Amino acid sequence: MKKHYFFFEITLNLLIFFLWILPNVFSSPSNLTAFSKWSFPLNNLIFLILAFLISFVEIKNNEDSFKNLFKINKLPGKILTTLVSLLLLFLIETGLQFIAVKVQYQRPEAKVKIPEDMLEFCFCSLTFFFAAFFEELIFRFYEPYSLGKISLLLPKNNQKKWISELVTALLFSVCHFYLGIFATINAFAAHFVLRYCFKKTSSIIFPLAAHFFYNLLSLYIFMTL
């Protein structure tokens, strides 16, 4: 990796850290308003635009490998992969919810409001869609490849690929730390499910679909329990 490109990758990773990861470490569910009232998610849209710009750098530097990032083809098999991924996400959370009940875990109190009309439901859907989209671009696409390139500076070994995947999973899980330890563990496991979906389908659209529907359905199934 060229020296100037290496420092550029470091700069982008620091930007991601300070924009999406660090703020969530110090957030409190009691102060979270995103789920307590539904309005147009401007912040999430801005984050999505930034995620596109960051991902565009990766696409430009790997044109041959990532030209099909948003391509939809061979739908039957890819839809099946998406549905299996969605099922796995729910099975993981159900298992963690069961363990949480058994150990009498008190999850942090978050203000959650179910949409009351069609307008609120549209804003709710946009909130989850924008959030899932920028998280998929950053954590399923950009970070694994970016960290993989940075790891080229490490001594030669056969674990570089898994190091970048593990670090990305840790970063994604830390983004959910404000929701409690079980949400953090759930996010860690979810990364590998969604990353598998991305690798299997060779498109960001399918893990995005699994992520979006998982978040939306979880609002009604788990967050209101």
Side-chain angles (χ1 to χ4, degrees):
M1 182 188 296
K2 295 181 179 179
K3 188 175 182 180
H4 71 277
Y5 186 73
F6 169 77
F7 285 112
F8 184 63
E9 290 280 358
I10 292 293
T11 300
L12 288 180
N13 277 276
L14 288 175
L15 177 65
I16 291 169
F17 180 79
F18 285 107
L19 272 181
W20 288 302
I21 299 170
L22 192 61
N24 288 322
V25 174
F26 298 102
S27 295
S28 170
S30 61
N31 297 327
L32 188 66
T33 59
F35 303 136
S36 62
K37 60 180 181 180
W38 301 106
S39 57
F40 185 80
L42 181 59
N43 286 344
N44 283 3
L45 177 58
I46 293 173
F47 285 158
L48 176 57
I49 293 172
L50 288 173
F52 262 108
L53 294 175
I54 292 172
S55 298
F56 182 73
V57 174
E58 189 66 40
I59 294 172
K60 290 294 289 184
N61 284 290
N62 299 274
E63 187 175 352
D64 292 334
S65 299
F66 304 110
K67 61 183 179 181
N68 297 324
L69 183 61
F70 298 100
K71 190 174 182 179
I72 299 177
N73 61 352
K74 300 180 181 179
L75 282 178
K78 293 183 178 182
I79 290 176
L80 178 60
T81 299
T82 305
L83 292 175
V84 170
S85 300
L86 184 60
L87 177 61
L88 286 174
L89 291 174
F90 277 111
L91 287 175
I92 291 169
E93 178 156 6
T94 301
L96 288 172
Q97 291 276 359
F98 177 79
I99 295 173
V101 171
K102 285 296 183 180
V103 300
Q104 298 182 334
Y105 172 74
Q106 295 295 321
R107 68 183 181 189
E109 292 295 330
K111 300 174 183 177
V112 178
K113 177 186 177 184
I114 298 297
E116 297 178 352
D117 53 40
M118 183 57 65
L119 181 61
E120 285 195 348
F121 179 78
C122 289
F123 285 149
C124 170
S125 298
L126 282 175
T127 298
F128 286 133
F129 179 77
F130 290 160
F133 209 157
F134 76 68
E135 286 182 348
E136 290 308 305
L137 285 173
I138 294 299
F139 294 106
R140 250 60 73 189
F141 173 65
Y142 177 77
E143 281 293 348
Y145 294 110
S146 176
L147 293 175
K149 291 176 181 178
I150 294 174
S151 69
L152 292 175
L153 298 179
L154 298 175
K156 290 185 177 181
N157 59 71
N158 296 324
Q159 307 301 321
K160 290 179 181 179
K161 179 180 177 181
W162 286 107
I163 290 174
S164 63
E165 293 289 353
L166 182 60
V167 171
T168 303
L170 288 171
L171 293 175
F172 181 63
S173 64
V174 169
C175 285
H176 299 76
F177 184 74
Y178 67 99
L179 291 173
I181 186 62
F182 278 92
T184 304
I185 297 172
N186 182 59
F188 181 83
H191 166 77
F192 292 102
V193 174
L194 294 169
R195 177 71 172 151
Y196 169 80
C197 184
F198 171 66
K199 295 290 287 184
K200 187 73 173 178
T201 62
S202 301
S203 172
I204 206 68
I205 298 299
F206 299 96
L208 166 62
H211 193 163
F212 167 71
F213 284 110
Y214 166 74
N215 283 348
L216 187 62
L217 293 173
S218 290
L219 176 69
Y220 291 89
I221 297 173
F222 294 113
M223 296 298 286
T224 57
L225 294 179

